[in-house]
């Protein structure tokens, strides 16, 4: 909707631009035919130019930033309250529909006028000649023309006047001025809110009359009588706005134009005055600037002391194999790309990349999602000492890994670095550009928003630990409190309602004490909320028994103020059995039952896949859980869908007919019911 509004504003802006230049430079010139084409071209360019865009690409170098894990996560109960997002009323959409309805009404009105014209002349006397068809009218309406028809009441005019009118209207017919009239009407219907478009159409109609008057004046002998004929028809006006009427308003201007001296041909330069404005419009509004990260393939040597390899959405498996082998062979870097998933366009959507350098520096990046990935760059920078950063960056986000030996400071994957009291090495810390000693950092916690780089001063042997990015230094808390894996303060802990607490775990270490509070899964849910677990209605007590890590997805619906909570547990199978041989048999049976996917070929040739024992995938729809679907078999709704697909012979299924939910959005259709047909 936003793009359509911008396009609408640009079109109207150009219409105003063309009209203003016409009024300022061309309206008083006698280049009537050229003016006609200027006005038509102005409307055509106004709708075409906003559709033409030019792209300007700015190449930027990747900027190292903090380590980031891009794995997608599922929704879990991590907070006390469960807010429901209310859909706001979209006034822009409503106004857009109102505007479209008015435009449609005006377009229909034009169609009705065209139909009315042909109905009007259907039963009238018609005389055809090579140039036009004259239709005799018995009413007192003014003469008018529409395409090849000239409608006139012959009894109102003398023979000379009649000849003048037929000559005038014949020029309209010959030059097909009715197209101009209809184009002006259509633009007024579509852009009716713009007052300039109505003035624009009036200028077009007036210029058409100037053309017909000028050429008629050159063909007739009695020019004075022609002007009297113009004045004679002033008293009446035809009621169809889609026609070229012999009478038009501004008769005085038409007569004045008949006696105006022809414009000097040198004045044609005035048509070029619009060109700088159109160029300015394109430069200001139609050039899109796109910032793109430089993509460089792996260097075959250590030129510029930089090794790189870029993977984008279109990188093939063969290219990945070739470049990783080259890294191993020439630079002794073991880079492994695995868990690659592609979409229907064969674009990469998910992958995992791990590397290990010759000095045992290692790291990984994991990307999961449904959309095609942004370019990922693996790089190693080598300075004059043979050392440097190594890691990944993606869409200007970098993950940099620095080698740290065990006899130096400990550094794990967490973003909080604890300065150990027992550390006896001489270490200098550079945090936010400021230098700190080992003594100054005792009993401190550094929360960093960036990467860490380790260096060693060759002269004094001191180790330098540089915190890249913004960091926060704070005193080490005596007690660390976690609420559902999130750190909170003691004041926040005191405000927790005891009724929502499921368990409290207290750990006492050598330095600090940790309190881990786990809330009930049902905390924050309204009393009247309906709960469904794996498609079956359940209670809050049953919900609280489920461990949080065993919850795969949660869907919260708000129907007329009443909340429905749909919970899908992970597919965890309990293995029972006494001896180890019995356990192995149970594991193998579990793999056979749920691990092997089963397929159903439909009438259309599409293939439906049932996998993991409780999931089904239809072409064109997201993966569905069987117990969340309504399945109709032989006229009855199944009670246990999983049991049906587990035991029924797929060869007997003829077709699966999908009934879509009519209330679901068009861009994401939901399945309402599936009818199972047998052979």
């Amino acid at each position: 909707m936003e793009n359509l509004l911008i396009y609408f504003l640009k079109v109207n802006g150009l219409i105003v631009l063309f009209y203003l230049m016409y009024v300022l430079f061309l309206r008083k010139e006698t280049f009537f035919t050229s003016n006609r084409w200027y006005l038509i071209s102005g409307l055509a360019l106004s709708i075409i130019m906003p559709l033409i865009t030019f792209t300007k690409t700015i190449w930027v170098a990747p900027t190292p930033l903090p380590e980031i894990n891009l794995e997608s996560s599922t929704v879990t109960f991590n907070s006390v309250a469960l807010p429901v997002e209310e859909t706001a009323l979209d006034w822009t959409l409503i106004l857009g529909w109102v505007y479209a309805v008015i435009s449609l009404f005006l377009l229909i009105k034009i169609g009705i006028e065209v139909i009315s014209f042909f109905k009007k002349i259907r039963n009238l006397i018609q005389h055809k000649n090579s140039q036009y068809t004259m239709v005799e009218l018995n009413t007192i309406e003014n003469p008018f023309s529409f395409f090849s028809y000239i409608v006139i009441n012959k009894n109102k005019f003398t023979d000379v006047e009649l000849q003048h009118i037929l000559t005038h209207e014949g020029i309209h017919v010959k030059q097909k001025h009715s197209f101009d009239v209809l184009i002006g009407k259509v633009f007024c219907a579509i852009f009716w809110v713009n007052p300039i478009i109505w003035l624009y159409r009036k200028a077009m109609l007036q210029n058409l009359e100037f053309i017909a008057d000028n050429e008629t004046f050159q063909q007739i002998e009695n020019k004075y009588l022609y002007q009297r004929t113009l004045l004679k028809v002033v008293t009446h006006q035809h009621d169809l706005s889609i026609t070229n009427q012999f009478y038009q308003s501004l008769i005085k201007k038409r007569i004045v134009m008949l006696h105006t001296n022809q414009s000097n041909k040198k004045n044609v330069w005035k048509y070029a005055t619009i060109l700088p404005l159109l160029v300015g419009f394109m430069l200001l509004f139609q050039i899109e600037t796109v910032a793109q990260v430089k993509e460089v393939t792996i260097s075959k040597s250590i030129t510029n002391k930089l090794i790189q390899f870029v993977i984008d959405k279109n990188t093939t498996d063969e290219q990945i194999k070739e470049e990783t082998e080259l890294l191993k062979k020439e630079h002794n870097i073991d880079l492994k790309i695995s868990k690659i998933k592609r979409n229907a366009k064969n674009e990469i959507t998910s992958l995992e990349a791990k590397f290990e350098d010759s000095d045992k520096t290692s790291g990984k990046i994991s990307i999961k999602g449904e959309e095609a990935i942004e370019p990922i760059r693996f790089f190693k920078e080598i300075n004059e000492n043979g050392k440097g950063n190594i890691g990944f960056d993606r869409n200007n986000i970098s993950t940099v890994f620095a080698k740290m030996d065990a006899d130096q400071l400990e550094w794990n994957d967490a973003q909080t670095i604890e300065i150990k009291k027992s550390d006896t090495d001489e270490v200098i810390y550079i945090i936010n550009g400021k230098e700190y000693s080992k003594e100054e950092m005792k009993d401190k916690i550094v929360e960093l928003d960036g990467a860490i780089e380790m260096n060693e001063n060759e002269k004094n042997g001191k180790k330098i630990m540089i915190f890249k990015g913004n960091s926060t230094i704070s005193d080490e808390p005596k007690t660390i409190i976690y609420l559902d894996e999130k750190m909170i303060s003691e004041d926040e802990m005191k405000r927790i309602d005891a009724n929502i607490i499921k368990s409290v775990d207290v750990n006492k270490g050598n330095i600090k004490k940790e309190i881990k509070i786990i809330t009930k899964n049902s905390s924050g849910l309204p009393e009247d909320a309906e709960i469904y677990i794996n498609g079956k209605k359940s209670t809050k007590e049953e919900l609280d028994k489920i461990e949080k890590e065993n919850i795969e997805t949660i869907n919260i619906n708000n129907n007329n103020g009443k909340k429905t909570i749909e919970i899908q547990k992970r597919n965890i199978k309990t293995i029972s059995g006494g001896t180890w041989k019995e356990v192995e048999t149970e594991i193998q049976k579990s793999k056979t039952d749920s691990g092997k996917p089963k397929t159903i070929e439909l009438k259309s040739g599409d293939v439906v896949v049932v996998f993991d024992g409780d999931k089904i995938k239809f072409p064109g729809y997201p993966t569905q859980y069987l117990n969340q679907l309504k399945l109709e078999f032989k006229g009855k709704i199944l009670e246990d869908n999983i049991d049906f697909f587990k035991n029924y012979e797929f060869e007997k299924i003829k077709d699966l007919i999908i009934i879509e939910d009519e209330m679901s959005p068009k861009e994401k259709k939901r399945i309402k019911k599936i009818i199972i047909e047998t052979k």
Side-chain angles (χ1 to χ4, degrees), residues 495-537:
R495 292 196 296 268
I496 299 175
D497 185 357
N499 294 323
I500 69 170
I501 297 176
K502 182 178 181 179
S503 64
V504 178
D505 186 16
V506 180
N507 295 322
K508 293 183 178 181
N510 294 329
I511 301 175
K512 55 183 176 291
K513 182 172 68 174
E514 288 185 350
I515 301 175
K516 293 185 178 181
I517 304 172
I518 306 297
T519 60
K520 296 178 181 179
N521 295 331
S522 62
S523 61
L525 293 181
E527 291 297 327
D528 61 345
E530 293 184 351
I531 302 171
Y532 292 87
I533 301 176
N534 286 359
K536 294 183 179 180
K537 192 169 183 179

Side-chain angles (χ1 to χ4, degrees), residues 617-636:
K617 180 70 173 69
F618 294 91
Y621 296 89
T623 298
Q624 309 281 331
Y625 285 93
L626 287 173
N627 271 350
Q628 293 180 348
L629 294 174
K630 184 184 289 185
L631 299 179
E632 181 180 313
F633 179 67
K634 294 183 179 181
K636 296 182 179 180

Side-chain angles (χ1 to χ4, degrees), residues 591-599 608-613 650:
K591 290 182 178 179
T592 304
D593 290 343
S594 62
K596 185 178 179 181
K598 300 179 181 180
T599 59
V608 174
V609 181
V610 179
F611 61 99
D612 288 351
F650 283 15

Side-chain angles (χ1 to χ4, degrees), residues 317-414:
D317 294 341
E318 291 75 13
Q319 291 172 331
I320 293 174
K321 182 180 179 182
E322 178 184 348
E323 300 296 354
T324 52
E325 288 178 352
L326 185 65
L327 281 170
K328 181 67 174 177
K329 180 180 179 182
E330 297 192 5
H331 306 289
N332 200 19
I333 299 174
D334 189 9
L335 176 64
K336 294 181 179 179
I337 313 295
S338 60
K339 299 181 181 179
I340 299 175
K341 292 184 179 180
R342 300 179 183 268
N343 57 22
K345 298 179 182 179
N346 204 33
E347 298 172 333
I348 298 177
T349 59
S350 303
L351 62 78
E352 183 175 281
K354 298 180 181 180
F355 76 87
E356 184 173 348
D357 201 2
S358 56
D359 59 358
K360 300 303 179 183
T361 302
S362 62
K364 75 173 183 177
I365 186 170
S366 179
I367 301 169
K368 294 180 181 180
E370 299 296 330
E371 300 295 329
I373 64 169
E374 296 293 330
I376 306 165
R377 183 179 72 123
F378 169 75
F379 67 94
K380 181 178 181 180
E381 301 168 350
I382 302 176
N383 57 29
E384 61 274 9
N385 298 322
K387 299 180 179 180
N389 292 330
I390 184 172
F392 300 99
D393 62 42
R394 176 178 182 264
N395 202 19
N396 280 343
I397 300 175
S398 297
T399 303
V400 180
F401 301 86
K403 183 175 184 295
M404 300 182 65
D405 296 330
D407 58 350
Q408 296 173 334
L409 286 177
E410 294 184 8
W411 178 32
N412 55 24
D413 293 334

Side-chain angles (χ1 to χ4, degrees), residues 442-625:
K442 279 186 178 180
D443 302 325
K444 301 290 184 182
I445 292 290
V446 181
E447 294 185 6
L448 67 119
D449 181 16
I452 295 178
E453 181 178 320
M454 285 293 298
N455 293 294
E456 185 174 340
N457 191 315
E458 296 180 356
K459 294 182 178 179
N460 54 25
K462 287 188 176 181
K463 299 174 180 63
I464 302 174
M465 188 177 195
I466 303 173
F467 291 71
K468 291 186 175 181
N470 297 321
S471 302
T472 303
I473 304 174
S474 59
D475 292 326
E476 182 182 32
K478 296 179 180 179
T479 302
I480 300 178
I481 306 167
Y482 296 94
L483 176 65
D484 292 334
E485 306 300 330
K486 289 186 178 180
M487 189 181 295
I488 62 172
S489 65
E490 290 188 19
D491 290 335
E492 290 174 316
M493 183 184 70
K494 292 177 182 178
R495 292 196 296 268
I496 299 175
D497 185 357
N499 294 323
I500 69 170
I501 297 176
K502 182 178 181 179
S503 64
V504 178
D505 186 16
V506 180
N507 295 322
K508 293 183 178 181
N510 294 329
I511 301 175
K512 55 183 176 291
K513 182 172 68 174
E514 288 185 350
I515 301 175
K516 293 185 178 181
I517 304 172
I518 306 297
T519 60
K520 296 178 181 179
N521 295 331
S522 62
S523 61
L525 293 181
E527 291 297 327
D528 61 345
E530 293 184 351
I531 302 171
Y532 292 87
I533 301 176
N534 286 359
K536 294 183 179 180
K537 192 169 183 179
S538 304
T539 63
K540 288 186 178 181
E541 290 73 19
E542 292 173 327
L543 173 61
D544 291 333
K545 291 178 182 179
I546 304 174
E547 297 296 331
K548 284 181 167 43
E549 58 269 19
N550 293 338
I551 297 177
E552 185 169 10
T553 59
I554 297 173
N555 187 25
I556 304 174
N557 298 318
N558 190 0
N559 298 321
N560 298 323
K562 189 172 184 179
K563 291 182 180 178
T564 301
I565 316 298
E566 296 178 355
I567 298 167
Q568 188 66 37
K569 293 171 59 179
R570 298 186 185 277
N571 186 24
I572 302 174
K573 186 172 180 65
T574 303
I575 305 298
S576 60
T579 65
W580 177 249
K581 187 175 182 180
E582 291 173 341
V583 173
E584 284 184 328
T585 303
E586 189 71 20
I587 293 174
Q588 194 62 35
K589 183 176 182 297
S590 172
K591 290 182 178 179
T592 304
D593 290 343
S594 62
K596 185 178 179 181
K598 300 179 181 180
T599 59
I600 305 170
E601 186 171 350
L602 307 181
K603 279 184 180 179
S604 61
D606 292 334
V607 175
V608 174
V609 181
V610 179
F611 61 99
D612 288 351
D614 65 341
K615 299 180 183 68
I616 188 166
K617 180 70 173 69
F618 294 91
Y621 296 89
T623 298
Q624 309 281 331
Y625 285 93

